[in-house]
Amino acid sequence: MRSSLVAALLLSGSAFAGESKYASAAAAACTELKSELSRSAKEQGLAIDEAEIGTHTSEQATVVATSIAGFDKVPATEYAKGVDAAFVYIDSEEAGIPAGNYRVNIRANPEDIKVGKYKAIASLIDKDGKEVAQRATVIETFPSAVKSARYGSPMSVGIQQHTINDWNLTRFRKTIIVVIVHSWGVTVIDLFGTDYSSYYGF
């Protein structure tokens, strides 16, 4: 059975691929955003997966994200120590942090790490090495390596926008998540600080 988190990433391909008469201008803007993320990563001495850079632009937010090079080869047990998983650019008032580039380090309690789904915490770290915020993260570790979700590449990165209801079911808020799929699992990082774990079956 296909993982629900993998399905979420595959669905995201259609969610952000809508055609527009301004497609050429939008494509140029996306290319510039990707180039800027690559330049910023090099300035910080980070190796990133440039081929997997994803972008999301809307009235609410501009987000550019990719995984750290080699993240797909790190075993899940390393989450106990903390793993640099992604490099992102965020510009959104709703994110509650200054606009800028952030290294995303993910850690989980050793007792929570298992085959299946579990919660973790992502630290957003700025260019000066300061932790600016912590964000909810969901990880799914597969029992064995599986074929890549897309085109045979070792990893796929997607960005999605969701509307999540709160516990009293009277208010709704939007959140943007980064989804990383690789051979041994899926990592879903919330960028707006929303606890959406029930959305994924917790």
Side-chain angles (χ1 to χ4, degrees), residues 3-202:
S3 160
S4 59
L5 299 188
V6 172
L9 176 61
L10 298 179
L11 286 172
S12 72
S14 59
F16 294 102
E19 295 183 0
S20 165
K21 63 181 179 179
Y22 304 109
S24 296
C30 285
T31 298
E32 178 56 30
L33 288 170
K34 292 178 180 181
S35 297
E36 181 58 34
L37 190 77
S38 295
R39 285 193 292 269
S40 298
K42 287 177 177 144
E43 289 174 359
Q44 295 189 34
L46 297 173
I48 62 173
D49 288 310
E50 296 189 11
E52 291 297 332
I53 297 176
T55 64
H56 167 75
T57 57
S58 66
E59 292 183 0
Q60 183 186 27
T62 297
V63 176
V64 191
T66 191
S67 54
I68 297 292
F71 174 61
D72 58 309
K73 297 179 176 63
V74 178
T77 52
E78 291 297 301
Y79 281 128
K81 303 175 184 176
V83 175
D84 286 341
F87 188 61
V88 303
Y89 171 80
I90 307 170
D91 183 0
S92 172
E93 289 185 4
E94 293 199 32
I97 58 175
N101 296 291
Y102 296 94
R103 172 170 53 90
V104 182
N105 183 276
I106 297 176
R107 65 185 182 277
N109 293 326
E111 60 270 22
D112 292 335
I113 299 170
K114 63 182 180 181
V115 172
K117 299 177 187 175
Y118 48 98
K119 295 182 182 182
I121 293 293
S123 293
L124 303 185
I125 302 169
D126 68 13
K127 62 183 179 61
D128 298 319
K130 177 184 176 182
E131 182 186 71
V132 175
Q134 293 185 351
R135 294 292 184 252
T137 298
V138 173
I139 298 170
E140 181 173 6
T141 298
F142 302 150
S144 60
V146 298
K147 186 177 180 180
S148 175
R150 193 178 69 174
Y151 309 133
S153 62
M155 188 149 31
S156 296
V157 179
I159 302 172
Q160 300 177 33
Q161 180 171 300
H162 289 288
T163 299
I164 306 295
N165 62 281
D166 67 6
W167 290 109
N168 61 25
L169 303 178
T170 61
R171 293 175 299 172
F172 294 83
R173 62 166 296 179
K174 289 183 178 179
T175 187
I176 292 178
I177 61 175
V178 175
V179 184
I180 305 174
V181 178
H182 43 81
S183 62
W184 55 262
V186 185
T187 304
V188 183
I189 307 161
D190 167 54
L191 297 181
F192 282 16
T194 302
D195 184 1
Y196 58 91
S197 54
S198 60
Y199 182 85
Y200 289 112
F202 284 96

